[in-house]
Amino acid sequence: MRYPKATALSAIALSTTTLATPVHKRANVSMIYDFASLDPTPEFNWTPCFDTFTCTLLEVPLDYDDTSAGTTGIAFIKWSTNATNSSSPPQDILTNPGGPGGSGVTFLISALELLTEAFGTDNNIVSFDPRGVNNSGPDVSCFPGVKNTAQLYGRGWGSAVDVNSTSSIATAWAQAGAFGDWCTAAHSGANDTAKYANTIATAQDMLHYTEVLAASNGEDKDSSELWYYGASYGTVLGSTFASLFPDRVGRIILDGVVDGEDYYQGKWEANLFDADAAVKSFFTYCYEGGSSSCAFWDESPEAIEDRWNNVLAKLEAEPITVINTTVVSTPTIVTITDFKNVLLQVPYSPSVYFPILANVLAELEQGNGDGLALYSGEGASLQCSDSSPLVYNEIEPRFFIACNDANGRFNLSTVEDFTENADYLYNQSHLLGEAWAAATAVICRKLDIKAPQNQIFTGVPSANETSHPILFIGNTVDPVTPLRGAKKMSSKFGGSRVLTQDSVGHTSEAAVSKCTFKYVQQYFADASLPDEGTVCEADEVPFQASSSAFNTKARREIRKLKKRHHI
Ligand SMILES: *[C@@H]1O[C@H](CO)[C@@H](O)[C@H](O)[C@H]1NC(C)=O
Ligand SMILES: *[C@@H]1O[C@H](CO)[C@@H](O)[C@H](O)[C@H]1NC(C)=O
Ligand SMILES: *[C@@H]1O[C@H](CO)[C@@H](O)[C@H](O)[C@H]1NC(C)=O
Ligand SMILES: *[C@@H]1O[C@H](CO)[C@@H](O)[C@H](O)[C@H]1NC(C)=O
Ligand SMILES: *[C@@H]1O[C@H](CO)[C@@H](O)[C@H](O)[C@H]1NC(C)=O
Ligand SMILES: *[C@@H]1O[C@H](CO)[C@@H](O)[C@H](O)[C@H]1NC(C)=O
Ligand SMILES: *[C@@H]1O[C@H](CO)[C@@H](O)[C@H](O)[C@H]1NC(C)=O
Ligand SMILES: *[C@@H]1O[C@H](CO)[C@@H](O)[C@H](O)[C@H]1NC(C)=O
Ligand SMILES: *[C@@H]1O[C@H](CO)[C@@H](O)[C@H](O)[C@H]1NC(C)=O
Ligand SMILES: *[C@@H]1O[C@H](CO)[C@@H](O)[C@H](O)[C@H]1NC(C)=O
């Protein structure tokens, strides 16, 4: 479930036909459904795409300070408002869904309904695949020339460690080394452009977009400003932009805020402070949801927790056999490690995943591991045939960008270093720390891809003054970007403010809140901020039928996407 595996992927495959947005087909202009048919151009070449959008592949220099490095294409996708009643002309709001490595193209197509509800419809909504991601260059795949890389990593790759097992730690450490050695070799020699896939360069691409836009509108490109919404890792991108170009901030909303200091040090040690609280909210939400909503319901939250402890202890002692051929295609077992891998994703979106977790737990209690096999991808068939859908493996851009940004600053060079790191994370979160440790800092230990000096960020993103203030948003209980991150980063940006959303989950997208939408739209309209200390209630509560109206298909899609991002 954490990495794109067969079952998980088929579930999130794009289906543009499910999007109920009106189609503005332009007569006699063909509609495209990929970026392969576009050539990179230095100006916008908006072409109708994906039924409801326009797409362009913008040619940008790999290195803005060294044009001899060559160029690459960045894939942009745009939803254009038809609003004409706005007092000012519509702006392009750029968006980033997180990751690093998340595809903005996929995000906008999947999340349009949610985004227009949250942002209103006075402005255009734009997204893009950042450098190294999906339809944008440079190619960071560790399998040059291979197009369909989704399943090219072995089973168990990046799986949760067991902090009490030295062999488990040693295995994860060695696997990370193999990844680093392989990928470093694949990107050596002539194929060394992966180093240009980093957050500084992507922030420069966003500025470049605003300049091309201003020029195309006949405006002064040197005073163009960015309008932006970034979630999760997208907050690193946004705060980096504001730090580099403080006088070019039009509107910036940062939602689910990453501690930029920890991120740029490559530690990933400031994420899990509220992780256990997020998972444990399951006990209360399940209880309050009632037996008809929660398959693992019991007479008190404590009774649910007791049963949970029993299920986990039993699974740890005895893996479960899965031979149901509608679920698996090989003889399969599910283990406590599979459970930990799946659990890492669950609190990202409680309204989507808590009901699934309840079903999986109820099954496990009966000795049935079908659901766990399905959601962990264990036993799924490996199909790498030419006819399987073209899907790339997000783990490569995720780690290339994160490791590149970290620039070797947190170098776990011995297995003892990694043991300490894993112990530290386990102490921070008993429930998610072991899965987190296996898939964060250790991955960088041998991935030797280094950006040019002018694309290396040092210190903490900050600016005493920005041309317009930044709006930060944090949930009261976020499993991977705790509220303290929003408070810390807000303290680094003069004039900024934190809006708190009272909900469990990762970013405000985890639970619909009309109150949050109101402040977001006010901010876009005139840059005004909510009062200090404002807290928005959420209108959507896990297991509550009254909020099920919010669980539209489009929202489920976007939350499924989230699960594959670390932040
Ligand atoms: C579409 O465009 C082509 C060339 O640009 C033109 O020959 C053709 O008549 C057009 N078709 C329609 C239906 O307008
Ligand atoms: C990459 O973008 C294409 C559209 O060009 C989309 O169909 C595909 O799902 C995207 N892949 C991922 C993993 O987001
Ligand atoms: C404008 O777009 C909205 C949805 O985005 C749609 O409901 C409305 O009908 C459109 N109006 C016009 C005049 O096209
Ligand atoms: C413009 O019209 C739309 C649809 O009628 C409405 O939702 C929106 O609030 C209006 N915006 C302004 C600024 O009046
Ligand atoms: C470089 O990448 C290209 C495709 O992008 C591939 O065909 C070629 O084999 C790679 N070269 C090396 C030395 O890996
Ligand atoms: C590791 O061992 C300690 C001491 O036996 C125990 O309390 C703890 O629950 C174990 N942790 C895991 C993740 O198994
Ligand atoms: C196998 O799994 C399917 C789908 O979950 C289920 O409907 C069916 O009852 C299962 N079969 C057995 C024998 O458990
Ligand atoms: C980590 O440190 C070791 C030993 O100093 C060095 O050989 C290695 O290149 C470093 N790795 C990274 C990714 O910087
Ligand atoms: C575990 O975390 C607590 C605070 O949450 C801290 O006081 C303690 O020193 C930590 N222990 C270790 C071994 O890191
Ligand atoms: C921000 O303000 C502090 C204190 O006034 C000052 O020391 C620092 O140089 C300023 N930084 C910038 C980038 O202006």
Side-chain angles (χ1 to χ4, degrees), residues 89-110:
Q91 302 285 331
D92 284 11
I93 302 173
L94 268 63
T95 57
N96 178 283
S103 167
V105 169
T106 309
F107 172 68
L108 185 54
I109 294 171
S110 309

Side-chain angles (χ1 to χ4, degrees), residues 247-396:
D247 56 344
R248 309 293 284 272
V249 173
R251 306 282 187 276
I252 290 186
I253 298 181
L254 303 180
D255 182 1
V257 184
V258 176
D259 178 333
E261 182 173 19
D262 178 76
Y263 173 83
Y264 275 113
Q265 284 172 356
K267 290 185 168 178
W268 298 75
E269 289 187 341
N271 300 92
L272 303 181
F273 295 111
D274 296 335
D276 285 1
V279 174
K280 290 183 174 184
S281 73
F282 170 79
F283 307 135
T284 308
Y285 284 127
C286 174
Y287 169 71
E288 288 171 354
S291 57
S292 58
S293 304
C294 180
F296 203 63
W297 186 86
D298 213 316
E299 283 170 359
S300 66
E302 294 72 27
I304 296 170
E305 184 167 5
D306 284 347
R307 276 169 64 200
W308 151 288
N309 285 331
N310 289 339
V311 167
L312 268 56
K314 205 169 145 210
L315 184 61
E316 174 139 38
E318 198 178 341
I320 297 175
T321 298
V322 181
I323 56 163
N324 183 335
T325 52
T326 62
V327 176
V328 294
S329 50
T330 57
T332 299
I333 58 163
V334 289
T335 66
I336 189 72
T337 303
D338 295 314
F339 187 82
K340 288 175 185 171
N341 290 339
V342 168
L343 191 63
L344 176 56
Q345 310 308 328
V346 167
Y348 277 56
S349 296
S351 56
V352 174
Y353 290 117
F354 277 3
I356 293 172
L357 176 67
N359 291 334
V360 168
L361 287 166
E363 280 184 11
L364 289 173
E365 197 170 45
Q366 303 299 318
N368 175 350
D370 285 7
L372 183 51
L374 191 64
Y375 289 105
S376 65
E378 289 301 326
S381 73
L382 278 182
Q383 286 164 347
C384 291
S385 74
D386 289 345
S387 61
S388 47
L390 188 65
V391 274
Y392 84 115
N393 199 319
E394 269 183 40
I395 67 176
E396 288 159 339

Side-chain angles (χ1 to χ4, degrees), residues 3-82:
Y3 297 123
K5 289 181 179 167
T7 48
L9 267 175
S10 59
I12 60 108
L14 278 184
S15 171
T16 46
T17 52
T18 62
L19 295 172
T21 319
V23 178
H24 303 285
K25 279 210 173 90
R26 292 181 196 171
N28 207 11
V29 180
S30 58
M31 185 66 64
I32 60 166
Y33 293 90
D34 62 32
F35 282 85
S37 44
L38 292 178
D39 290 322
T41 51
E43 312 295 332
F44 296 141
N45 173 29
W46 294 112
T47 305
C49 63
F50 300 101
D51 297 331
T52 316
F53 304 89
T54 52
C55 292
T56 193
L57 198 57
L58 187 64
E59 183 181 284
V60 302
L62 283 168
D63 183 339
Y64 284 85
D65 293 344
D66 173 14
T67 48
S68 72
T71 62
T72 192
I74 305 296
F76 284 88
I77 182 170
K78 175 169 178 168
W79 173 82
S80 298
T81 178
N82 57 18

Side-chain angles (χ1 to χ4, degrees), residues 308-494:
W308 151 288
N309 285 331
N310 289 339
V311 167
L312 268 56
K314 205 169 145 210
L315 184 61
E316 174 139 38
E318 198 178 341
I320 297 175
T321 298
V322 181
I323 56 163
N324 183 335
T325 52
T326 62
V327 176
V328 294
S329 50
T330 57
T332 299
I333 58 163
V334 289
T335 66
I336 189 72
T337 303
D338 295 314
F339 187 82
K340 288 175 185 171
N341 290 339
V342 168
L343 191 63
L344 176 56
Q345 310 308 328
V346 167
Y348 277 56
S349 296
S351 56
V352 174
Y353 290 117
F354 277 3
I356 293 172
L357 176 67
N359 291 334
V360 168
L361 287 166
E363 280 184 11
L364 289 173
E365 197 170 45
Q366 303 299 318
N368 175 350
D370 285 7
L372 183 51
L374 191 64
Y375 289 105
S376 65
E378 289 301 326
S381 73
L382 278 182
Q383 286 164 347
C384 291
S385 74
D386 289 345
S387 61
S388 47
L390 188 65
V391 274
Y392 84 115
N393 199 319
E394 269 183 40
I395 67 176
E396 288 159 339
R398 179 185 306 150
F399 295 134
F400 273 73
I401 296 164
C403 298
N404 197 329
D405 285 344
N407 191 38
R409 293 179 185 107
F410 187 61
N411 187 342
L412 298 175
S413 54
T414 66
V415 72
E416 288 76 23
D417 293 342
F418 178 44
T419 307
E420 260 180 45
N421 170 243
D423 284 346
Y424 180 85
L425 291 170
Y426 175 69
N427 186 43
Q428 198 175 84
S429 166
H430 278 25
L431 295 171
L432 303 187
E434 292 170 299
W436 193 255
T440 52
V442 70
I443 305 294
C444 300
R445 80 177 186 92
K446 289 196 138 190
L447 186 59
D448 200 6
I449 307 288
K450 295 283 191 302
Q453 204 55 42
N454 62 320
Q455 293 179 356
I456 295 171
F457 194 92
T458 48
V460 191
S462 59
N464 287 346
E465 202 181 334
T466 51
S467 42
H468 292 92
I470 298 176
L471 172 59
F472 289 91
I473 304 178
N475 285 352
T476 42
V477 183
D478 183 315
V480 292
T481 52
L483 187 55
R484 66 174 78 180
K487 290 180 175 160
K488 173 173 171 175
M489 295 314 291
S490 178
S491 76
K492 307 284 178 196
F493 287 94

Side-chain angles (χ1 to χ4, degrees), residues 156 161 165-177 415 418:
V161 298
S165 158
T166 50
S167 82
S168 153
I169 295 278
T171 301
W173 193 74
Q175 271 177 333
V415 72
F418 178 44

Side-chain angles (χ1 to χ4, degrees), residues 59-234:
E59 183 181 284
V60 302
L62 283 168
D63 183 339
Y64 284 85
D65 293 344
D66 173 14
T67 48
S68 72
T71 62
T72 192
I74 305 296
F76 284 88
I77 182 170
K78 175 169 178 168
W79 173 82
S80 298
T81 178
N82 57 18
T84 52
N85 56 350
S86 174
S87 51
S88 46
Q91 302 285 331
D92 284 11
I93 302 173
L94 268 63
T95 57
N96 178 283
S103 167
V105 169
T106 309
F107 172 68
L108 185 54
I109 294 171
S110 309
L112 182 64
E113 191 188 333
L114 178 62
L115 291 175
T116 49
E117 197 174 336
F119 298 174
T121 54
D122 285 348
N123 295 294
N124 305 321
I125 307 177
V126 177
S127 199
F128 62 102
D129 289 343
R131 290 181 174 219
V133 175
N134 203 9
N135 302 291
S136 294
D139 188 359
V140 301
S141 168
C142 302
F143 303 91
V146 180
K147 284 284 168 235
N148 205 343
T149 59
Q151 292 164 342
L152 289 178
Y153 289 86
R155 280 285 148 71
W157 197 91
S159 223
V161 298
D162 175 350
V163 287
N164 285 344
S165 158
T166 50
S167 82
S168 153
I169 295 278
T171 301
W173 193 74
Q175 271 177 333
F179 171 81
D181 282 341
W182 177 290
C183 292
T184 302
H187 290 279
S188 61
N191 289 345
D192 71 343
T193 54
K195 66 186 177 205
Y196 300 109
N198 57 66
T199 299
I200 287 216
T202 296
Q204 292 170 332
D205 290 341
M206 294 203 298
L207 181 69
H208 186 68
Y209 180 96
T210 68
E211 294 187 343
V212 173
L213 178 64
S216 74
N217 289 338
E219 294 159 13
D220 174 18
K221 77 173 183 54
D222 294 325
S223 56
S224 64
E225 290 181 341
L226 176 73
W227 286 50
Y228 175 76
Y229 168 86
S232 198
Y233 158 79

